[in-house]
Amino acid sequence: EETSLAICTSPTPISCHEPHLFGMAFTLEERQQLNIHGLLPPCFLGQDAQVYTILQNFERLTCDLDRYMLLMSLQDRNEKLFYKVLASDIEKFMPIVYTPTVGLACQQYGLAFRRPRGLFISIHDRGHIATMLKSWPESVIKAIVVTDGERILGLGDLGCYGMGIPVGKLALYTACGGVKPYQCLPVMLDVGTDNETLLKDPLYIGLRHKRIRGQAYDDLLDEFMEAVTERYGMNCLIQFEDFANANAFRLLNKYRNKYCTFNDDIQGTASVAVAGLLAALRITKNKLSDHTVLFQGAGEAALGIANLVLMAMEKEGLSKDAAIKRIWLVDSKGLVVKGRASLTHEKQRFAHEHREMKNLEDIVKDIKPSVLIGVAAIGGAFTPQILKDMAALNKHPIIFALSNPTSKAECTAEQCYKYTEGRGIFASGSPFDPVTLPSGKTLYPGQGNNSYVFPGVALGVISCGMRHIDENVFLTTAEVLYSKLFKFNNLEGRLYPPLVTIQDVSLKIAVRLAEEAYRKNTASTYPQPKDLEAFIRSQVYSTDYNSFVADSYTWPEEAMKVKL
Ligand SMILES: *[C@@H]1O[C@H](CO)[C@@H](O)[C@H](O)[C@H]1NC(C)=O
Ligand SMILES: *[C@@H]1O[C@H](CO)[C@@H](O)[C@H](O)[C@H]1NC(C)=O
């Protein structure tokens, strides 16, 4: 494998040195012009035949990490084909290019690492970030996903190995949202790692010292944000990904009104959860503000959801104070109540007058929630007793077990349906199979998956050149996602549209966000397109090959046909 710095963001990746793949798609005329006629077998393989070849190779592999590596090397070699393959079966490939396999790949990134992809900026590069950005070959970048690797998925501090996440996430920006891959830039801010395993790992690719924090860290981030907007403009989207809890909130609050930025772990998760809640109201037949919501967890995801639920309740007409009273948090120390020790500023907001309580079963009995949301990655936290109590308290208890992976889910879909006698409304973070009840009825557990949200948000923000991404964007996104559900006849238990419709969902989200941005004057792409949907469609990345020969002549049809 090559080790040279290969940057594969070209809009028309044409590699004459890899004639076996893209090469077979070259027309006769293209082959002649490139002087490679005769270096390829005479057959012409269309892109569909190439997709078929990749799928066959993919199926032959037995381990997901190998499949990940197959796809990553395809991404390096032939970007258009890579995205064509992903789009051919997004449900099959998402678990490979993104969670859970990407986590596995990050843990062994030293092994999986072939070619560098993205920009690596270290804490020792302070003062030089602007120059480094200049070495990136693309001058138009519209979306950046940046991480410092401190809290990768549920895996902890993976340092520079965390680069797999921005790379994978941006692949989904393109595969699910149609954002042009050459306008995307993955960035690793390497400030060191506190992970002893990595510091001793001979294959580790990052800085071999402890994380540098404090002023130096903040300066690095400030400089990065400034350098990016200096080079790519104020409306370059900068998505923060997998930062540790404290930094994630701090940086979001610091930059949200100054830059075009969002944090998917906080805001994307919130949007998808609120979409699920709105969908659940269809079954409970009341308003969100009629509910009492209890969170098991008080981290990024919990607080993100809590804040958005608060907004949604206010939008229904409830006052802020009354809405806050309907939201309760439980963290590792128990119920979050006024006067309790170790409460951060974010948690403080939802701390109510109440006695201190520790045990979740007791808390559920006492608070009597109608909605229970698990986001603390404590597998099995929703015990049979809790589920039974929720069913006793509510006709249709809403149970969201959002922690990933499956082993960390607060309860399974089956447990939820079993202990609530099929009355529970369930959504999870990780996918669960449909459950057939003793009555013979089959229910489809909802999967509250961020992939419904961030690609559409990115496409919308980029298309209209939005300057800031305020919280309303995520409430609107939740509403669009919820409304898309109704196109499907069989709603049994479903809270989200099927994942296969994701490209369509993303487009609809983008159009709605752009409409709102023009109405509220937060768009910067002018003149305003007359037909926003047509305009956004025209922005979407195409996986078809561009011919670089204006007028290619071809062999007879039958000589070129491939039967699949
Ligand atoms: C979202 O769905 C995809 C496809 O099923 C899956 O690979 C991924 O793990 C899900 N995301 C999470 C966070 O569970
Ligand atoms: C340290 O890194 C290893 C290897 O990548 C990973 O499996 C582990 O979860 C990390 N540990 C912590 C505490 O972050």
Side-chain angles (χ1 to χ4, degrees):
E1 288 286 345
E2 290 184 38
T3 50
S4 65
L5 187 75
I7 291 149
C8 300
T9 50
S10 149
T12 334
I14 293 171
S15 161
C16 313
H17 308 293
E18 300 266 6
H20 57 288
L21 257 180
F22 182 75
M24 292 291 287
F26 284 128
T27 62
L28 180 59
E29 170 111 321
E30 287 168 339
R31 292 176 189 207
Q32 286 168 338
Q33 290 206 356
L34 289 168
N35 284 326
I36 55 169
H37 187 54
L39 303 187
L40 295 166
C43 179
F44 297 91
L45 286 186
Q47 211 183 20
D48 288 343
Q50 295 182 321
V51 169
Y52 179 75
T53 312
I54 300 292
L55 292 181
Q56 292 299 304
N57 277 302
F58 185 87
E59 293 305 338
R60 285 177 54 224
L61 299 174
T62 49
C63 118
D64 282 344
L65 192 58
D66 288 343
R67 294 187 171 129
Y68 173 85
M69 284 159 78
L70 172 87
L71 291 176
M72 287 302 116
S73 62
L74 177 61
Q75 188 181 19
D76 285 341
R77 210 164 57 224
N78 184 339
E79 200 165 55
K80 291 219 168 202
L81 187 57
F82 170 73
Y83 286 111
K84 185 90 175 181
V85 167
L86 294 197
S88 74
D89 191 345
I90 196 82
E91 272 182 300
K92 173 186 195 142
F93 294 112
M94 218 193 270
I96 307 294
V97 288
Y98 205 61
T99 54
T101 310
V102 74
L104 215 63
C106 284
Q107 284 175 305
Q108 311 174 50
Y109 213 55
L111 267 184
F113 192 76
R114 288 290 185 281
R115 287 177 168 187
R117 175 172 278 274
L119 196 61
F120 295 83
I121 297 172
S122 96
I123 187 115
H124 309 298
D125 293 322
R126 266 170 303 151
H128 305 284
I129 299 181
T131 320
M132 294 171 80
L133 284 175
K134 284 209 194 88
S135 354
W136 190 256
E138 297 289 338
S139 57
V140 180
I141 292 292
K142 305 251 182 181
I144 288 177
V145 173
V146 58
T147 187
D148 70 354
E150 189 168 3
R151 200 233 59 189
I152 295 298
L153 308 172
L155 304 170
D157 181 352
L158 298 192
C160 205
Y161 277 179
M163 185 53 143
I165 297 295
V167 169
K169 193 101 188 190
L170 284 168
L172 298 190
Y173 269 53
T174 303
C176 306
V179 178
K180 295 174 181 126
Y182 46 92
Q183 294 184 343
C184 295
L185 175 60
V187 176
M188 160 56 64
L189 295 178
D190 188 353
V191 300
T193 175
D194 292 345
N195 186 325
E196 292 298 335
T197 317
L198 294 181
L199 290 171
K200 289 194 206 102
D201 175 359
L203 301 177
Y204 185 58
I205 58 174
L207 295 177
R208 283 171 192 275
H209 56 60
K210 288 264 159 107
R211 281 184 181 273
I212 293 178
R213 303 180 187 274
Q215 195 59 47
Y217 179 90
D218 286 1
D219 290 348
L220 179 79
L221 273 119
D222 284 346
E223 185 186 335
F224 171 69
M225 299 301 279
E226 272 167 39
V228 162
T229 42
E230 179 84 0
R231 173 138 165 86
Y232 301 122
M234 278 318 286
N235 46 23
C236 177
L237 168 65
I238 307 170
Q239 190 217 299
F240 282 72
E241 179 82 14
D242 286 358
F243 281 71
N245 212 322
N247 282 333
F249 277 111
R250 206 168 53 84
L251 297 172
L252 179 62
N253 291 333
K254 185 168 175 190
Y255 296 135
R256 67 192 315 168
N257 295 323
K258 209 165 155 199
Y259 297 100
C260 178
T261 183
F262 76 102
N263 181 308
D264 190 51
D265 308 311
I266 300 173
Q267 296 165 296
T269 305
S271 187
V272 80
V274 168
L277 287 176
L278 295 176
L281 298 178
R282 181 173 47 81
I283 302 164
T284 58
K285 299 202 166 49
N286 52 10
K287 294 199 290 185
L288 192 56
S289 38
D290 295 327
H291 286 268
T292 300
V293 187
L294 178 67
F295 288 89
Q296 155 73 354
E300 288 167 46
L303 288 159
I305 302 169
N307 284 320
L308 206 60
V309 166
L310 183 64
M311 272 181 71
M313 286 181 172
E314 282 185 77
K315 201 168 168 178
E316 285 180 347
L318 201 63
S319 75
K320 182 173 250 123
D321 286 343
I324 286 183
K325 292 213 172 79
R326 299 196 153 273
I327 300 171
W328 295 81
L329 305 175
V330 176
D331 65 10
S332 59
K333 309 231 163 32
L335 191 63
V336 170
V337 292
K338 278 220 167 76
R340 210 198 72 185
S342 64
L343 288 185
T344 59
H345 170 69
E346 280 81 19
K347 292 184 198 176
Q348 201 82 51
R349 183 165 193 205
F350 297 101
H352 308 305
E353 294 290 356
H354 196 279
R355 69 192 160 98
E356 293 194 17
M357 295 182 80
K358 274 208 100 88
N359 179 291
L360 189 63
E361 286 186 1
D362 299 340
I363 294 172
V364 167
K365 282 198 174 79
D366 195 80
I367 303 293
K368 301 187 175 51
S370 54
V371 181
L372 190 56
I373 299 180
V375 273
I378 302 175
F382 297 167
T383 59
Q385 189 56 49
I386 288 179
L387 295 171
K388 282 182 196 160
D389 287 343
M390 286 298 289
L393 289 165
N394 304 283
K395 182 155 179 238
H396 288 291
I398 300 174
I399 313 280
F400 284 7
L402 297 181
S403 294
N404 293 312
T406 316
S407 61
K408 297 273 174 68
E410 286 73 12
C411 67
T412 65
E414 196 162 2
Q415 287 163 344
C416 169
Y417 295 139
K418 180 172 164 196
Y419 294 114
T420 63
E421 297 141 9
R423 289 183 284 125
I425 304 171
F426 181 79
S428 56
S430 303
F432 279 106
D433 288 335
V435 177
T436 304
L437 303 177
S439 67
K441 187 171 165 187
T442 299
L443 293 176
Y444 296 84
Q447 201 209 137
N449 195 308
N450 288 21
S451 324
Y452 286 116
V453 167
F454 64 82
V457 169
L459 182 65
V461 166
I462 290 171
S463 303
C464 68
M466 218 184 280
R467 284 280 163 79
H468 303 290
I469 307 177
D470 66 25
E471 230 32 52
N472 282 307
V473 163
F474 295 96
L475 193 52
T476 305
T477 300
E479 288 165 0
V480 178
L481 188 49
Y482 157 68
S483 69
K484 292 301 288 176
L485 182 64
F486 293 104
K487 271 182 54 188
F488 304 95
N489 316 327
N490 181 4
L491 283 173
E492 295 302 332
R494 277 192 219 275
L495 298 181
Y496 298 99
L499 210 57
V500 288
T501 62
I502 188 130
Q503 287 151 325
D504 185 45
V505 171
S506 300
L507 188 87
K508 292 293 178 322
I509 291 174
V511 172
R512 260 290 287 286
L513 293 181
E515 281 167 5
E516 237 178 63
Y518 281 108
R519 202 171 47 243
K520 292 186 179 164
N521 256 325
T522 54
S524 71
T525 303
Y526 283 95
Q528 175 177 349
K530 282 211 181 64
D531 180 342
L532 268 178
E533 178 158 346
F535 171 71
I536 292 177
R537 272 185 201 282
S538 75
Q539 303 288 302
V540 164
Y541 176 66
S542 160
T543 54
D544 298 337
Y545 294 138
N546 317 335
S547 174
F548 64 97
V549 179
D551 232 347
S552 56
Y553 75 87
T554 46
W555 284 7
E557 276 288 307
E558 65 277 13
M560 305 174 40
K561 265 201 196 115
V562 177
K563 283 219 172 66
L564 291 182

